[in-house]
Amino acid sequence: MSRDLIVIPSEQNQKIIIATDCSGACGPKKLDVVVVPTVLTSYYTARVAFMEIMSVRATPIAYTVSNFVKGGYDDIHDGVAKLTGELKLPNLANITSSETNFEMLQSAVGISVVGTMM
């Protein structure tokens, strides 16, 4: 077991690599410890997960977002899009789960990246 990555062997000697990062109390909400725009929080949260994948020379193929910033969907994806544009990885498959049933007092976002390697 690794703290940073999950490596899953698959067919034809290919491996699936998964990395994740999260950020809490960093965002635009009144009670956040670090007050920054959501787009900045998502950019740097995604950056950690993408760097983990790329540090083992895996190719990112998709990402997931766990969004706890009500109304922050577009800003989160804009931050990730800025990063994936810089990495020349546009249009990656992605899926988002947003908490919309409860208003949280602090911002929180989690981003996971899936990659493959031989």
Side-chain angles (χ1 to χ4, degrees):
M1 175 177 263
S2 169
R3 181 188 178 286
D4 298 322
L5 296 167
I6 294 174
V7 178
I8 304 168
S10 65
E11 296 177 16
Q12 301 164 347
N13 294 328
Q14 190 175 39
K15 295 178 180 133
I16 298 168
I17 313 297
I18 305 169
T20 191
D21 193 46
C22 63
S23 177
C26 297
K29 294 188 175 191
K30 184 177 174 180
L31 295 179
D32 285 336
V33 176
V34 177
V35 179
V36 294
T38 301
V39 68
L40 193 62
T41 301
S42 65
Y43 174 90
Y44 284 104
T45 303
R47 187 170 180 249
V48 170
F50 275 92
M51 286 173 46
E52 293 288 353
I53 291 290
M54 297 173 84
S55 73
V56 296
R57 296 195 171 120
T59 301
I61 59 169
Y63 67 91
T64 70
V65 173
S66 297
N67 171 19
F68 299 94
V69 183
K70 189 172 186 179
Y73 180 91
D74 290 336
D75 287 341
I76 290 170
H77 284 281
D78 288 349
V80 177
K82 178 178 179 351
L83 176 67
T84 57
E86 291 171 359
L87 296 173
K88 298 183 181 9
L89 298 168
N91 303 319
L92 289 177
N94 66 82
I95 188 167
T96 300
S97 176
S98 295
E99 177 55 74
T100 58
N101 296 328
F102 301 99
E103 183 71 35
M104 295 182 59
L105 300 177
Q106 291 179 304
S107 302
V109 63
I111 298 176
S112 298
V113 179
V114 179
T116 59
M117 67 184 285
M118 294 307 251

